[in-house]
């Protein structure tokens, strides 16, 4: 399957950050992995989105929406049949209303924690925007049919008996946060969402920490260290078979886009 790399939301928090989404050409139509911000987030944003885009200093650029980028690539937005989400934070779910006909695949734990947040997830009060699912999307909530994917428990999303897209739970950043594994023409790509923010953190030989935004260290200390260790082990054991990207690393994204002839 062919993968296009899209930045669906630039923002600034001391550095230029991007929001890396994938557009996959699959036999079942186009599949979007994460969706950045959507058209309505720029034209008439909900209050939580307004707060977060001000904090994140998001420039208003409708051309960065997945909707417009799908069109620029020569597809119809109607061709997007599936959206697979790493998690339900506002910077990943904003595109849902732009593709109301698409099936939206999510890990059951993530769905539950976003729809029925516990008090100790109060930080997500702002991170999650219910406006993104006010149109009542065609949810596909995954929780059964577990199988092994390179030593990690995973839930098949597409591809039948030989899954080509799977949800790989990497909880921490949110309670049901997942990576999304995609079988491409050149091996497996695991989109790790916000399990790390710079690839140097999961360098299997010499990992280094990245200290970016004022609010990150809180989540950092609480959660993702174990997931990052699992990802380093994955790279160590399966070098050459699996590569990783995350949502907000501009350097990896820029490299991938410069290699791609279309963008
Ligand atoms: Zn994010």
């Amino acid at each position: 399957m062919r993968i296009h790399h899209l930045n669906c939301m630039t923002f600034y928090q001391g550095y230029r950050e991007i929001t890396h989404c994938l557009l996959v050409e699959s036999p079942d139509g186009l599949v979007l992995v994460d969706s950045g911000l959507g058209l309505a987030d720029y034209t008439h944003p909900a209050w939580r989105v307004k707060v977060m885009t001000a904090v994140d200093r998001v420039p208003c650029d409708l051309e960065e929406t997945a909707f417009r980028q799908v069109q620029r690539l020569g597809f119809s937005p109607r061709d997007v049949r599936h959206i697979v989400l790493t998690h339900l934070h506002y910077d990943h779910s904003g595109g849902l209303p732009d593709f109301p006909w698409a099936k939206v695949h999510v890990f059951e734990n993530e769905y539950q924690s976003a729809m029925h947040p516990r008090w100790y997830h109060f930080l997500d009060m702002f991170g999650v925007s219910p406006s993104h699912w006010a149109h009542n999307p065609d949810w596909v909530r995954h929780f059964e049919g577990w199988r092994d994917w390179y030593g990690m428990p995973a839930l098949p999303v597409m591809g039948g008996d030989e899954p080509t897209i799977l949800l790989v739970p990497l909880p921490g950043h949110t309670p049901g946060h997942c990576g999304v594994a995609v079988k491409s023409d050149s091996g497996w790509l695991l989109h790790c969402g916000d399990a790390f923010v710079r690839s140097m953190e999961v360098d299997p030989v010499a990992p280094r920490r990245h200290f970016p935004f004022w609010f990150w260290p809180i989540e950092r200390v609480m959660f993702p260290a174990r997931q990052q260790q699992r990802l380093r082990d994955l790279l160590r054991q399966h070098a050459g078979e699996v590569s990783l990207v995350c949502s907000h690393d501009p350097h990896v994204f820029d490299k991938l886009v410069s290699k791609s002839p279309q963008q």
Side-chain angles (χ1 to χ4, degrees):
M1 298 195 294
R2 180 162 185 199
I3 299 177
H4 304 267
H5 298 272
L6 315 180
N7 166 22
C8 295
M9 184 186 111
T10 298
F11 62 108
Y12 295 89
Q13 287 198 337
Y15 314 87
R16 168 183 158 260
E17 309 285 343
I18 58 98
T19 304
H20 194 156
C21 302
L22 310 176
L23 185 70
V24 184
E25 295 184 37
S26 90
D28 298 317
L30 294 177
V31 182
L32 196 54
V33 176
D34 278 354
S35 66
L37 287 187
L39 295 166
D41 292 320
Y42 294 109
T43 54
H44 44 285
W47 71 268
R48 289 175 217 242
V49 175
K50 238 187 229 174
V51 171
M52 289 308 294
T53 50
V55 170
D56 285 339
R57 297 173 45 221
V58 179
C60 180
D61 186 355
L62 270 81
E63 296 308 316
E64 286 193 342
T65 57
F67 188 90
R68 293 279 174 88
Q69 295 193 66
V70 164
Q71 289 179 319
R72 279 209 299 283
L73 286 167
F75 301 110
S76 160
R78 280 255 161 208
D79 298 337
V80 175
R81 309 305 304 169
H82 302 269
I83 302 176
V84 188
L85 296 175
T86 59
H87 63 300
L88 285 166
H89 274 169
Y90 89 102
D91 50 324
H92 303 257
S93 62
L96 299 187
D98 295 337
F99 307 95
W101 47 80
K103 288 188 185 307
V104 180
H105 300 264
V106 67
F107 181 30
E108 174 69 12
N109 295 20
E110 182 65 9
Y111 179 89
Q112 292 299 343
S113 75
M115 301 303 155
H116 312 288
R118 304 286 174 88
W119 68 267
Y120 48 84
H121 297 138
F122 62 93
L123 283 176
D124 285 345
M125 269 280 295
F126 293 98
V128 169
S129 181
S131 63
H132 291 164
W133 43 86
H135 62 291
N136 196 19
D138 187 0
W139 295 106
V140 184
R141 291 148 56 184
H142 293 268
F143 56 92
E144 55 188 359
W146 293 91
R147 61 169 68 207
D148 179 87
W149 182 81
Y150 290 107
M152 302 171 99
L155 288 161
V157 171
M158 298 184 66
D161 286 343
E162 298 220 353
T164 50
I165 298 184
L166 304 97
L167 284 166
V168 182
L170 300 169
H173 180 74
T174 60
H177 181 279
C178 285
V180 180
V182 181
K183 193 173 189 180
S184 79
D185 300 340
S186 52
W188 284 93
L189 178 66
L190 182 64
H191 187 305
C192 298
D194 289 6
F196 59 95
V197 285
R198 290 291 187 275
S199 60
M200 66 184 186
E201 296 176 284
V202 291
D203 186 307
V205 182
R208 278 168 297 150
R209 283 187 87 77
H210 174 65
F211 293 98
F213 327 138
W214 61 270
F215 64 86
W216 272 102
I218 304 168
E219 294 187 331
R220 267 326 153 74
V221 172
M222 287 162 72
F223 308 122
R226 189 178 119 67
Q227 304 307 345
Q228 291 177 6
Q229 187 55 51
R230 292 174 74 207
L231 293 169
R232 284 192 285 272
D233 291 344
L234 175 70
L235 286 179
R236 223 171 274 135
Q237 288 156 16
H238 301 286
E241 293 169 86
V242 177
S243 51
L244 309 184
V245 297
C246 68
S247 296
H248 302 303
D249 187 332
H251 312 298
V252 168
F253 179 80
D254 289 347
K255 249 186 244 164
L256 284 165
V257 169
S258 70
K259 270 194 230 159
S260 158
Q262 278 207 1
Q263 295 174 52

